[in-house]
Amino acid sequence: MVTFLGNSSDSIDADVIVVGLGAMGSQTLWRLAERGVDAIGIEQFTPGHDRGASHGESRIIRSAYAEGASYVPLVKEAWQLWRELEEVSGAHLLEQTGALMVGPADSPVIAGPLASARAWDLKYQLLETAELREAFPQYVPADGLMGFYEEDAGYLRPEASVTAAVEAARVRGAEVLRESGVTAILPDPVRPRVRLGDRELTARHVVVAAGGWLPGLLPATARLMHVERRVMGWFRVADPAAFEARRFPVFVHSDASGDHNLYGFPTLDGETVKVGLHTWPGIDEVIDPADGHRPPDQADAQRFAEAVDRTFVGVDPQPVRMESCMYSLTPDRHFLVGPRADLPGLTLLAGFSGHGFKFATVIGEIAAQFAVTGKSALPVEKFDPHRFDRR
Ligand SMILES: Cc1cc2nc3c(=O)[nH]c(=O)nc-3n(C[C@H](O)[C@H](O)[C@H](O)COP(=O)(O)OP(=O)(O)OC[C@H]3O[C@@H](n4cnc5c(N)ncnc54)[C@H](O)[C@@H]3O)c2cc1C
């Protein structure tokens, strides 16, 4: 059992309350419970649901990080914790397939991972245009494209990851409140409180992992992020064997500017591949999570048809199904992780900007460290929620 210094356990409902049990909150609850911390996790829907940002069958995990070399130690730690969660839960969550980044030499998807791989001495392989064409005939052989391949990459199963973490936490003593919407969070340095309608729960610390709903709960955070809709599509392949993981690893494909950036997965069902548009003209529709995801429509299907047609050989450009999801984007596309002086007693986990899932285990560990000790031993300076105050 962890001892919290400084205040007695009189009049508290738990040492730590976690608000939101999506990717980040579920892992936080597990890491707290692993330490023996008395914790309550609260989710407005049922964990593993499809109304937030953590659904849709698959999420990429890669190590040579395009978004910055400083993420590499975090992804290494995350990877180990994913394996640990698999072990304690018995669930199969992570599939190592390797990853192929495709783009011009000066595109963010080639230059970014190359810089990370060089900084951390990671194993990789660069493929010139002719080599790429020969090894991966599933891509349209456009001139000037090259490939960056790394073995230490693959995909995670998001819904199963959330439910496995919640269950692992529950088995270790955490309390889980499902279908329970938090209506207010009241910051306080000693006794922060969480309101559920007319009921109030008190803790020593509150971790707020409410995803896109954060600004609605804590209006002071509204400047730190905004929420955009994103759509995933599934497409039938002519030759499923050519799109199995050993021949068609997870991928990111970009133009030089990064304005046309799509990603995807090998076939998981032996019939279709899943593709998502990370950046693409016309997709940046700002939404309010309280209204829910706007369902996919004909404009989404048309955009996908264009993207798939110009990128792949042997993939039917008409989606067989589509699903909406949401990105919580910060101005610099780096995460918001840690406390804020104007929100005492809270740790914020938000703004994962469309690339957070792979880190969920290590973010949960970092949040548990903040909740218990007020600081983290892992490198999180880059994610300081105060960093936009200076601008
Ligand atoms: C289409 C798409 C593709 C992506 N692909 C990748 C990828 O390949 N690799 C990768 O690493 N990342 C990827 N990401 C990003 C990653 O999925 C997200 O960063 C991550 O899921 C965010 O998790 P979260 O816990 O912050 O948010 P969520 O999973 O949305 O969790 C927030 C939770 O809080 C709950 N909640 C909110 N308000 C309340 C309240 N008042 N009371 C109680 N509960 C509340 C919500 O119901 C929800 O369950 C992708 C995201 C999308 C949308």
Side-chain angles (χ1 to χ4, degrees):
M1 186 61 74
V2 173
T3 311
F4 284 74
L5 296 176
N7 48 52
S8 79
S9 54
D10 297 346
S11 72
I12 57 164
D13 296 285
D15 287 326
V16 182
I17 293 175
V18 181
V19 176
L21 298 179
M24 307 303 163
S26 60
Q27 300 294 337
T28 302
L29 196 65
W30 171 50
R31 297 313 298 165
L32 287 165
E34 277 287 341
R35 288 173 161 71
V37 173
D38 174 25
I40 300 176
I42 308 177
E43 169 56 48
Q44 62 183 343
F45 306 126
T46 294
H49 66 85
D50 63 0
R51 293 152 82 171
S54 304
H55 60 280
E57 189 176 274
S58 47
R59 289 290 186 273
I60 293 176
I61 178 165
R62 48 197 160 81
S63 300
Y65 216 59
E67 291 80 349
S70 60
Y71 284 91
V72 175
L74 293 176
V75 83
K76 284 186 173 175
E77 188 72 25
W79 198 289
Q80 281 186 18
L81 288 169
W82 284 115
R83 292 300 189 204
E84 188 181 324
L85 179 58
E86 287 193 311
E87 212 167 294
V88 302
S89 67
H92 182 37
L93 306 173
L94 197 169
E95 198 74 55
Q96 185 166 353
T97 65
L100 179 69
M101 317 293 275
V102 184
D106 57 351
S107 64
V109 302
I110 301 294
L114 198 52
S116 279
R118 286 177 176 153
W120 290 96
D121 203 18
L122 305 177
K123 272 197 281 178
Y124 66 92
Q125 206 185 330
L126 275 180
L127 296 114
E128 296 299 337
T129 308
E131 295 166 317
L132 179 70
R133 284 175 177 158
E134 197 186 329
F136 297 101
Q138 303 91 338
Y139 293 93
V140 169
D143 288 337
L145 287 187
M146 58 186 301
F148 174 100
Y149 177 79
E150 69 166 330
E151 227 171 74
D152 291 339
Y155 65 87
L156 292 152
R157 295 181 172 82
E159 294 90 342
S161 298
V162 170
T163 51
V166 170
E167 184 55 15
R170 209 193 50 75
V171 167
R172 278 154 192 74
E175 188 179 346
V176 178
L177 304 182
R178 300 176 166 81
E179 304 289 331
S180 304
V182 168
T183 45
I185 298 171
L186 309 170
D188 184 274
V190 184
R191 292 278 188 273
R193 283 166 295 146
V194 165
R195 202 170 278 160
L196 296 123
D198 51 11
R199 184 176 168 208
E200 214 166 80
L201 298 177
T202 305
R204 297 177 203 277
H205 196 86
V206 174
V207 176
V208 189
W213 287 264
L214 174 71
L217 277 170
L218 295 169
T221 63
R223 290 177 306 110
L224 309 181
M225 56 175 260
H226 74 280
V227 182
E228 288 183 9
R229 172 180 176 270
R230 285 293 186 281
V231 179
M232 304 165 267
W234 282 258
F235 302 84
R236 210 171 290 289
V237 290
D239 174 12
F243 289 88
E244 282 172 4
R246 70 196 156 80
R247 290 170 65 186
F248 188 73
V250 300
F251 69 89
V252 181
H253 189 293
S254 179
D255 60 8
S257 66
D259 290 345
H260 296 83
N261 177 310
L262 66 160
Y263 61 89
F265 302 82
T267 181
L268 307 195
D269 60 6
E271 290 179 14
T272 60
V273 291
K274 184 182 125 184
V275 175
L277 304 181
H278 181 61
T279 57
W280 204 271
I283 62 169
D284 46 358
E285 175 187 335
V286 175
I287 58 163
D288 179 351
D291 299 336
H293 299 130
R294 190 171 64 73
D297 60 15
Q298 201 45 40
D300 295 309
Q302 270 170 9
R303 214 176 277 120
F304 266 132
E306 184 206 331
V308 167
D309 194 46
R310 73 193 230 183
T311 310
F312 303 107
V313 175
V315 182
D316 183 345
Q318 292 309 319
V320 291
R321 74 182 168 102
M322 297 184 284
E323 272 186 41
S324 301
C325 194
M326 62 173 87
Y327 275 6
S328 293
L329 295 161
T330 63
D332 61 7
R333 305 302 188 250
H334 299 301
F335 312 153
L336 300 169
V337 176
R340 266 191 72 91
D342 55 349
L343 298 170
L346 314 184
T347 292
L348 305 183
L349 304 179
F352 290 96
S353 300
H355 63 111
F357 198 90
K358 65 187 75 61
F359 298 100
T361 45
V362 71
I363 295 294
E365 171 60 22
I366 289 164
Q369 293 176 5
F370 270 119
V372 174
T373 68
K375 53 187 194 297
S376 174
L378 285 146
V380 290
E381 300 74 25
K382 195 186 184 86
F383 308 141
D384 182 1
H386 284 290
R387 69 186 181 279
F388 304 115
D389 297 358
R390 296 183 284 273
R391 299 185 182 174

